[in-house]
């Protein structure tokens, strides 16, 4: 009987794992080696090896330098993701063409005051062609920018204000009925643009960041009536500028064009007030790619 128990004990002990318990994070204590003789010690060791559930638990990671470094990197990435500020390239060909139109406005005004309508007509032609070219380049070669959406209407307003003031001073435009409407609308839109820039600028709101146009904060989207009004205004100003050197029959159409521009100017100004899509506030952060 004792020999049978001994053989049974040896056979069962050969099937038991003698290596330590494998755990990915925590080291378990290995059971004590199985003695060669003695049934009670075998049963006690087998129960101690299998009654515990430590080997199937997954506790927290132990404090390790590599683990802490990984956590610090993840935290740093999260902070940097939250604090990334939108920036864009503002030195593009469409923006340079738009700036050239703005810089040409003083020369245009001087030429009208000096009765040099040939030079004024040439500058108007250049302004119209450059407006078409910069829009084509921005769409064709993906050179769109938030600054471009601000500079383009600003150039139109500068050109329109210059023409309105100088042509009114020369007596070619009525003062109250048209000039006050055009200039008043442009002044109100300009003040609104300054206010929107300040409120939409991500903190810190400093003077340098306010005038740093590589940090976009809001995008202006012209309405449909505003585009039509700009075209009507440019057509009127061009016709009025070339009227002194053009055939006399052209002046007969000027009163009707003036009434049309007065109506579209007031309508377009109200469209910016009541339209929800005219101004879009940009996000303060950009997702990392």
């Amino acid at each position: 009987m004792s020999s049978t128990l001994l053989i049974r004990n040896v056979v069962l002990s050969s099937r038991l794992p003698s290596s330590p318990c494998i755990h990915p994070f925590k080291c378990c204590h290995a059971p004590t080696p199985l003695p060669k003789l003695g049934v009670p010690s075998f049963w006690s060791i087998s129960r101690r090896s299998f009654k515990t559930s430590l080997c199937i638990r997954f506790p927290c990671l132990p404090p390790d330098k590599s683990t802490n470094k990984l956590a610090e990197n993840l935290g740093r990435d999260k902070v940097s993701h939250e604090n990334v500020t939108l920036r864009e390239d503002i030195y593009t060909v469409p923006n340079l063409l738009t700036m050239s139109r703005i810089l040409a406005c003083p020369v245009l005004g001087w030429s009208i005051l000096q009765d040099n309508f040939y030079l004024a007509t040439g500058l108007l032609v250049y302004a119209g062609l450059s407006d078409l070219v910069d829009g084509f380049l921005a769409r064709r070669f993906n050179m769109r920018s938030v600054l471009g959406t601000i500079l383009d209407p600003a150039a139109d307003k500068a050109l329109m204000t210059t023409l309105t003031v100088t042509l009114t001073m020369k007596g070619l435009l009525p003062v109250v009925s048209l000039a006050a409407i055009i200039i008043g609308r442009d002044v109100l839109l300009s003040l609104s643009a300054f206010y929107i820039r300040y409120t939409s600028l991500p903190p810190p709101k400093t003077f340098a960041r306010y005038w740093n146009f590589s940090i976009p904060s809001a995008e202006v989207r012209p309405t449909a009536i505003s585009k039509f009004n700009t075209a009507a205004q440019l057509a009127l100003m061009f016709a009025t500028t070339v009227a002194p050197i053009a055939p006399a029959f052209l002046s007969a159409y000027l009163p009707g064009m003036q009434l049309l521009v007065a109506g579209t100017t007031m309508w377009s100004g109200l469209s910016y007030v009541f339209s929800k899509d005219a101004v879009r506030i940009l996000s303060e952060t950009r997702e990392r790619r």
Side-chain angles (χ1 to χ4, degrees):
M1 181 66 178
S2 61
S3 62
T4 305
L5 290 175
L6 178 60
I7 294 173
R8 182 179 179 184
N9 188 14
V10 171
V11 170
L12 290 176
S13 63
S14 63
R15 297 179 181 179
L16 290 175
S18 59
S19 60
C21 179
I22 300 175
H23 193 280
F25 305 117
K26 188 174 182 180
C27 181
C28 301
H29 296 285
T32 56
L34 186 67
K36 295 181 180 180
L37 298 176
V39 177
S41 60
F42 162 72
W43 287 108
S44 62
I45 293 174
S46 62
R47 286 196 303 271
R48 184 169 57 188
S49 301
F50 295 100
K51 73 180 180 179
T52 179
S53 61
L54 289 177
C55 293
I56 61 173
R57 293 179 182 175
F58 295 90
C60 298
L61 287 173
D64 185 41
K65 293 183 179 179
S66 60
T67 306
N68 293 338
K69 186 176 181 181
L70 178 60
E72 292 176 0
N73 293 335
L74 291 176
R76 192 183 307 111
D77 291 343
K78 183 178 180 181
V79 172
S80 60
H81 165 72
E82 295 175 352
N83 296 331
V84 171
T85 303
L86 284 173
R87 291 186 180 271
E88 64 178 3
D89 184 16
I90 61 175
Y91 301 103
T92 60
V93 176
N95 289 346
L96 294 178
L97 289 175
T98 305
M99 285 298 301
S100 68
R101 294 206 310 273
I102 297 176
L103 296 176
C105 289
V107 182
L108 175 62
W110 174 84
S111 62
I112 293 176
L113 293 177
Q114 297 298 321
D115 294 329
N116 191 350
F117 292 99
Y118 291 98
L119 177 60
T121 302
L123 291 175
L124 280 178
V125 172
Y126 167 77
L129 292 178
S130 63
D131 192 11
L132 294 176
V133 170
D134 67 28
F136 170 77
L137 293 178
R139 293 187 298 268
R140 179 65 176 82
F141 299 100
N142 195 21
M143 294 182 181
R144 298 184 181 93
S145 63
V146 177
L147 178 61
T149 64
I150 299 174
L151 282 181
D152 192 66
D156 294 337
K157 299 302 176 292
L159 179 65
M160 197 60 52
T161 302
T162 301
L163 290 171
T164 303
V165 172
T166 54
L167 291 175
T168 303
M169 292 175 63
K170 298 296 293 184
L172 299 176
L173 283 179
V175 179
V176 179
S177 61
L178 187 61
I181 295 175
I182 295 176
I183 296 177
R185 169 188 174 272
D186 292 343
V187 169
L188 291 177
L189 291 180
S190 300
L191 294 177
S192 301
F194 285 119
Y195 174 75
I196 293 172
R197 170 65 175 173
Y198 177 78
T199 56
S200 62
L201 183 68
K205 299 180 184 295
T206 61
F207 184 82
R209 284 171 56 86
Y210 183 89
W211 295 105
N212 186 1
F213 294 107
S214 65
I215 305 176
S217 58
E219 181 180 4
V220 179
R221 296 179 176 179
T223 58
I225 184 59
S226 178
K227 294 179 180 180
F228 177 79
N229 175 66
T230 301
Q233 286 183 352
L234 290 176
L236 172 63
M237 296 305 167
F238 181 80
T240 306
T241 302
V242 302
I245 58 176
F249 71 90
L250 183 61
S251 300
Y253 299 96
L254 292 180
M257 297 177 66
Q258 293 172 1
L259 292 176
L260 176 63
V261 169
T264 57
T265 300
M266 292 185 291
W267 188 1
S268 63
L270 293 176
S271 69
Y272 281 105
V273 176
F274 296 103
S275 177
K276 297 181 180 179
D277 300 328
V279 178
R280 184 173 69 92
I281 306 300
L282 301 180
S283 176
E284 296 181 5
T285 58
R286 174 176 294 173
E287 184 179 358
R288 285 194 169 186
R289 295 181 181 179

Short mmCIF file of all heavy atoms in Angstrom, two decimals, residues 7-48:
data_model
loop_
_atom_site.label_atom_id
_atom_site.label_comp_id
_atom_site.label_asym_id
_atom_site.label_seq_id
_atom_site.Cartn_x
_atom_site.Cartn_y
_atom_site.Cartn_z
N ILE A 7 4.38 5.62 -5.59
CA ILE A 7 4.40 5.71 -7.06
C ILE A 7 3.40 6.75 -7.54
O ILE A 7 3.67 7.55 -8.43
CB ILE A 7 4.11 4.31 -7.68
CG1 ILE A 7 5.25 3.35 -7.34
CG2 ILE A 7 3.92 4.43 -9.20
CD1 ILE A 7 4.98 1.93 -7.76
N ARG A 8 2.21 6.77 -6.95
CA ARG A 8 1.19 7.74 -7.33
C ARG A 8 1.65 9.16 -7.04
O ARG A 8 1.39 10.10 -7.83
CB ARG A 8 -0.09 7.45 -6.57
CG ARG A 8 -1.25 8.36 -6.93
CD ARG A 8 -2.46 7.97 -6.14
NE ARG A 8 -3.58 8.84 -6.45
CZ ARG A 8 -4.76 8.79 -5.85
NH1 ARG A 8 -4.97 7.86 -4.89
NH2 ARG A 8 -5.71 9.62 -6.18
N ASN A 9 2.34 9.32 -5.92
CA ASN A 9 2.85 10.65 -5.57
C ASN A 9 3.89 11.13 -6.56
O ASN A 9 3.89 12.28 -6.98
CB ASN A 9 3.44 10.59 -4.17
CG ASN A 9 3.81 11.97 -3.65
OD1 ASN A 9 3.38 12.96 -4.23
ND2 ASN A 9 4.57 12.02 -2.58
N VAL A 10 4.80 10.25 -6.98
CA VAL A 10 5.85 10.62 -7.92
C VAL A 10 5.26 10.94 -9.28
O VAL A 10 5.66 11.91 -9.95
CB VAL A 10 6.89 9.48 -8.02
CG1 VAL A 10 7.87 9.76 -9.16
CG2 VAL A 10 7.62 9.32 -6.72
N VAL A 11 4.26 10.19 -9.75
CA VAL A 11 3.65 10.42 -11.06
C VAL A 11 2.92 11.76 -11.09
O VAL A 11 3.06 12.56 -12.02
CB VAL A 11 2.70 9.27 -11.42
CG1 VAL A 11 1.89 9.62 -12.68
CG2 VAL A 11 3.49 7.99 -11.63
N LEU A 12 2.16 12.05 -10.05
CA LEU A 12 1.43 13.32 -10.01
C LEU A 12 2.37 14.50 -9.87
O LEU A 12 2.15 15.56 -10.45
CB LEU A 12 0.44 13.31 -8.85
CG LEU A 12 -0.76 12.37 -9.02
CD1 LEU A 12 -1.62 12.38 -7.76
CD2 LEU A 12 -1.59 12.77 -10.23
N SER A 13 3.43 14.32 -9.11
CA SER A 13 4.37 15.43 -8.94
C SER A 13 5.12 15.75 -10.22
O SER A 13 5.51 16.89 -10.45
CB SER A 13 5.37 15.11 -7.83
OG SER A 13 6.14 13.97 -8.20
N SER A 14 5.33 14.79 -11.09
CA SER A 14 5.99 15.06 -12.37
C SER A 14 5.11 15.87 -13.30
O SER A 14 5.59 16.54 -14.20
CB SER A 14 6.38 13.73 -13.03
OG SER A 14 5.22 12.97 -13.32
N ARG A 15 3.78 15.81 -13.09
CA ARG A 15 2.87 16.58 -13.94
C ARG A 15 2.62 17.99 -13.42
O ARG A 15 2.05 18.80 -14.13
CB ARG A 15 1.52 15.85 -14.05
CG ARG A 15 1.63 14.48 -14.72
CD ARG A 15 0.28 13.79 -14.79
NE ARG A 15 0.39 12.48 -15.41
CZ ARG A 15 -0.65 11.65 -15.56
NH1 ARG A 15 -1.86 12.00 -15.12
NH2 ARG A 15 -0.47 10.49 -16.13
N LEU A 16 3.02 18.30 -12.22
CA LEU A 16 2.80 19.64 -11.66
C LEU A 16 3.88 20.57 -12.16
O LEU A 16 5.02 20.18 -12.32
CB LEU A 16 2.82 19.59 -10.13
CG LEU A 16 1.62 18.90 -9.47
CD1 LEU A 16 1.83 18.82 -7.97
CD2 LEU A 16 0.33 19.63 -9.79
N PRO A 17 3.54 21.85 -12.43
CA PRO A 17 4.56 22.82 -12.85
C PRO A 17 5.48 23.17 -11.70
O PRO A 17 5.02 23.53 -10.62
CB PRO A 17 3.75 24.03 -13.32
CG PRO A 17 2.47 23.95 -12.57
CD PRO A 17 2.19 22.48 -12.40
N SER A 18 6.75 23.05 -11.95
CA SER A 18 7.74 23.38 -10.93
C SER A 18 8.30 24.78 -11.10
O SER A 18 9.07 25.24 -10.29
CB SER A 18 8.89 22.37 -10.96
OG SER A 18 9.50 22.39 -12.24
N SER A 19 7.95 25.49 -12.23
CA SER A 19 8.45 26.84 -12.48
C SER A 19 7.59 27.85 -11.75
O SER A 19 6.44 27.55 -11.37
CB SER A 19 8.45 27.14 -13.97
OG SER A 19 7.12 27.03 -14.44
N PRO A 20 8.08 29.05 -11.54
CA PRO A 20 7.27 30.07 -10.86
C PRO A 20 6.04 30.45 -11.68
O PRO A 20 5.99 30.26 -12.89
CB PRO A 20 8.22 31.26 -10.73
CG PRO A 20 9.57 30.74 -11.08
CD PRO A 20 9.41 29.49 -11.84
N CYS A 21 5.07 31.04 -11.00
CA CYS A 21 3.84 31.50 -11.67
C CYS A 21 4.18 32.67 -12.59
O CYS A 21 4.79 33.64 -12.15
CB CYS A 21 2.82 31.90 -10.62
SG CYS A 21 1.28 32.50 -11.32
N ILE A 22 3.76 32.58 -13.86
CA ILE A 22 4.08 33.62 -14.84
C ILE A 22 3.06 34.74 -14.73
O ILE A 22 1.87 34.52 -14.81
CB ILE A 22 4.08 33.03 -16.26
CG1 ILE A 22 5.13 31.94 -16.35
CG2 ILE A 22 4.33 34.11 -17.29
CD1 ILE A 22 5.13 31.22 -17.66
N HIS A 23 3.54 35.95 -14.52
CA HIS A 23 2.67 37.12 -14.38
C HIS A 23 3.34 38.28 -15.10
O HIS A 23 4.53 38.51 -14.93
CB HIS A 23 2.48 37.46 -12.91
CG HIS A 23 1.37 38.44 -12.69
ND1 HIS A 23 1.51 39.78 -12.89
CD2 HIS A 23 0.08 38.24 -12.30
CE1 HIS A 23 0.37 40.39 -12.63
NE2 HIS A 23 -0.51 39.48 -12.26
N PRO A 24 2.61 39.04 -15.93
CA PRO A 24 3.26 40.09 -16.74
C PRO A 24 3.73 41.27 -15.92
O PRO A 24 4.62 41.98 -16.32
CB PRO A 24 2.16 40.50 -17.72
CG PRO A 24 0.89 40.14 -17.05
CD PRO A 24 1.18 38.91 -16.26
N PHE A 25 3.12 41.53 -14.77
CA PHE A 25 3.45 42.73 -14.02
C PHE A 25 3.96 42.45 -12.61
O PHE A 25 4.68 43.26 -12.05
CB PHE A 25 2.22 43.65 -13.92
CG PHE A 25 1.63 43.99 -15.25
CD1 PHE A 25 0.35 43.59 -15.57
CD2 PHE A 25 2.38 44.67 -16.19
CE1 PHE A 25 -0.18 43.91 -16.80
CE2 PHE A 25 1.85 45.00 -17.41
CZ PHE A 25 0.57 44.60 -17.72
N LYS A 26 3.56 41.35 -12.02
CA LYS A 26 3.90 41.09 -10.63
C LYS A 26 4.52 39.71 -10.51
O LYS A 26 4.02 38.74 -11.09
CB LYS A 26 2.64 41.20 -9.78
CG LYS A 26 2.92 41.12 -8.30
CD LYS A 26 1.65 41.39 -7.52
CE LYS A 26 1.93 41.36 -6.02
NZ LYS A 26 0.72 41.62 -5.22
N CYS A 27 5.57 39.65 -9.78
CA CYS A 27 6.28 38.38 -9.63
C CYS A 27 5.65 37.58 -8.50
O CYS A 27 5.52 38.07 -7.37
CB CYS A 27 7.76 38.66 -9.32
SG CYS A 27 8.71 37.15 -9.14
N CYS A 28 5.19 36.38 -8.80
CA CYS A 28 4.57 35.51 -7.80
C CYS A 28 5.65 34.60 -7.19
O CYS A 28 6.64 34.26 -7.83
CB CYS A 28 3.47 34.66 -8.43
SG CYS A 28 2.17 35.65 -9.18
N HIS A 29 5.41 34.22 -5.98
CA HIS A 29 6.34 33.31 -5.32
C HIS A 29 6.15 31.90 -5.85
O HIS A 29 5.04 31.41 -5.97
CB HIS A 29 6.10 33.33 -3.81
CG HIS A 29 6.38 34.68 -3.21
ND1 HIS A 29 7.66 35.16 -3.00
CD2 HIS A 29 5.53 35.68 -2.80
CE1 HIS A 29 7.61 36.37 -2.47
NE2 HIS A 29 6.31 36.70 -2.34
N ALA A 30 7.23 31.28 -6.16
CA ALA A 30 7.16 29.89 -6.68
C ALA A 30 6.92 28.93 -5.52
O ALA A 30 7.37 29.16 -4.40
CB ALA A 30 8.48 29.54 -7.37
N PRO A 31 6.18 27.88 -5.79
CA PRO A 31 5.95 26.91 -4.72
C PRO A 31 7.26 26.19 -4.37
O PRO A 31 8.16 26.07 -5.18
CB PRO A 31 4.93 25.96 -5.35
CG PRO A 31 5.12 26.11 -6.82
CD PRO A 31 5.53 27.53 -7.04
N THR A 32 7.31 25.77 -3.15
CA THR A 32 8.50 25.05 -2.69
C THR A 32 8.63 23.73 -3.41
O THR A 32 7.63 23.15 -3.84
CB THR A 32 8.39 24.78 -1.18
OG1 THR A 32 7.17 24.07 -0.94
CG2 THR A 32 8.37 26.10 -0.40
N PRO A 33 9.84 23.27 -3.65
CA PRO A 33 10.02 22.00 -4.38
C PRO A 33 9.31 20.86 -3.69
O PRO A 33 9.24 20.78 -2.45
CB PRO A 33 11.54 21.80 -4.38
CG PRO A 33 12.09 23.17 -4.16
CD PRO A 33 11.12 23.86 -3.27
N LEU A 34 8.77 19.98 -4.50
CA LEU A 34 8.02 18.84 -3.99
C LEU A 34 8.97 17.81 -3.39
O LEU A 34 9.92 17.39 -4.05
CB LEU A 34 7.22 18.21 -5.14
CG LEU A 34 6.26 17.09 -4.76
CD1 LEU A 34 5.12 17.66 -3.91
CD2 LEU A 34 5.72 16.43 -6.01
N PRO A 35 8.74 17.44 -2.19
CA PRO A 35 9.63 16.41 -1.59
C PRO A 35 9.40 15.06 -2.26
O PRO A 35 8.37 14.80 -2.86
CB PRO A 35 9.22 16.41 -0.13
CG PRO A 35 7.82 16.93 -0.12
CD PRO A 35 7.73 17.91 -1.23
N LYS A 36 10.38 14.25 -2.11
CA LYS A 36 10.29 12.93 -2.75
C LYS A 36 9.33 12.02 -2.03
O LYS A 36 8.71 11.17 -2.64
CB LYS A 36 11.67 12.29 -2.78
CG LYS A 36 12.65 13.06 -3.67
CD LYS A 36 13.99 12.37 -3.69
CE LYS A 36 14.97 13.13 -4.58
NZ LYS A 36 16.30 12.48 -4.64
N LEU A 37 9.17 12.17 -0.75
CA LEU A 37 8.34 11.27 0.03
C LEU A 37 7.34 12.10 0.83
O LEU A 37 7.59 13.26 1.14
CB LEU A 37 9.17 10.41 0.96
CG LEU A 37 10.17 9.46 0.26
CD1 LEU A 37 11.01 8.74 1.31
CD2 LEU A 37 9.46 8.46 -0.62
N GLY A 38 6.22 11.50 1.14
CA GLY A 38 5.26 12.13 2.03
C GLY A 38 4.07 12.67 1.29
O GLY A 38 4.19 13.59 0.52
N VAL A 39 2.94 12.03 1.51
CA VAL A 39 1.72 12.44 0.84
C VAL A 39 1.18 13.75 1.38
O VAL A 39 0.73 14.60 0.63
CB VAL A 39 0.67 11.32 0.95
CG1 VAL A 39 -0.65 11.74 0.32
CG2 VAL A 39 1.20 10.06 0.31
N PRO A 40 1.18 14.02 2.67
CA PRO A 40 0.59 15.26 3.19
C PRO A 40 1.26 16.51 2.62
O PRO A 40 0.59 17.48 2.29
CB PRO A 40 0.80 15.16 4.70
CG PRO A 40 0.89 13.70 4.96
CD PRO A 40 1.61 13.13 3.78
N SER A 41 2.59 16.47 2.48
CA SER A 41 3.25 17.66 1.93
C SER A 41 2.86 17.91 0.48
O SER A 41 2.73 19.04 0.04
CB SER A 41 4.76 17.51 2.03
OG SER A 41 5.18 16.37 1.28
N PHE A 42 2.61 16.88 -0.29
CA PHE A 42 2.18 17.05 -1.69
C PHE A 42 0.84 17.76 -1.78
O PHE A 42 0.64 18.68 -2.55
CB PHE A 42 2.13 15.69 -2.36
CG PHE A 42 1.31 15.68 -3.63
CD1 PHE A 42 1.79 16.28 -4.79
CD2 PHE A 42 0.05 15.10 -3.65
CE1 PHE A 42 1.03 16.29 -5.94
CE2 PHE A 42 -0.69 15.11 -4.80
CZ PHE A 42 -0.21 15.69 -5.95
N TRP A 43 -0.13 17.33 -0.99
CA TRP A 43 -1.45 17.94 -1.04
C TRP A 43 -1.43 19.38 -0.55
O TRP A 43 -2.11 20.23 -1.09
CB TRP A 43 -2.44 17.11 -0.20
CG TRP A 43 -2.81 15.82 -0.86
CD1 TRP A 43 -2.43 14.58 -0.50
CD2 TRP A 43 -3.61 15.69 -2.03
NE1 TRP A 43 -2.94 13.64 -1.36
CE2 TRP A 43 -3.67 14.30 -2.32
CE3 TRP A 43 -4.26 16.59 -2.86
CZ2 TRP A 43 -4.39 13.81 -3.39
CZ3 TRP A 43 -4.98 16.09 -3.91
CH2 TRP A 43 -5.02 14.71 -4.19
N SER A 44 -0.61 19.66 0.42
CA SER A 44 -0.54 21.05 0.90
C SER A 44 0.07 21.96 -0.16
O SER A 44 -0.38 23.08 -0.35
CB SER A 44 0.29 21.12 2.18
OG SER A 44 1.62 20.70 1.92
N ILE A 45 1.07 21.49 -0.88
CA ILE A 45 1.70 22.30 -1.92
C ILE A 45 0.76 22.50 -3.10
O ILE A 45 0.65 23.59 -3.65
CB ILE A 45 3.02 21.65 -2.37
CG1 ILE A 45 4.03 21.71 -1.24
CG2 ILE A 45 3.58 22.36 -3.61
CD1 ILE A 45 5.30 20.96 -1.53
N SER A 46 0.04 21.46 -3.48
CA SER A 46 -0.86 21.59 -4.62
C SER A 46 -2.00 22.55 -4.32
O SER A 46 -2.41 23.33 -5.16
CB SER A 46 -1.41 20.22 -5.02
OG SER A 46 -2.17 19.67 -3.94
N ARG A 47 -2.53 22.51 -3.07
CA ARG A 47 -3.59 23.45 -2.73
C ARG A 47 -3.07 24.88 -2.70
O ARG A 47 -3.71 25.80 -3.16
CB ARG A 47 -4.20 23.08 -1.38
CG ARG A 47 -5.09 21.85 -1.42
CD ARG A 47 -5.96 21.78 -0.18
NE ARG A 47 -5.14 21.77 1.04
CZ ARG A 47 -4.68 20.66 1.62
NH1 ARG A 47 -4.92 19.48 1.07
NH2 ARG A 47 -3.97 20.73 2.73
N ARG A 48 -1.85 25.10 -2.19
CA ARG A 48 -1.30 26.43 -2.13
C ARG A 48 -1.01 26.98 -3.54
O ARG A 48 -1.06 28.18 -3.78
CB ARG A 48 -0.01 26.41 -1.32
CG ARG A 48 0.58 27.80 -1.12
CD ARG A 48 1.68 27.77 -0.12
NE ARG A 48 2.73 26.83 -0.51
CZ ARG A 48 3.76 26.49 0.29
NH1 ARG A 48 3.84 26.98 1.51
NH2 ARG A 48 4.67 25.63 -0.13
#
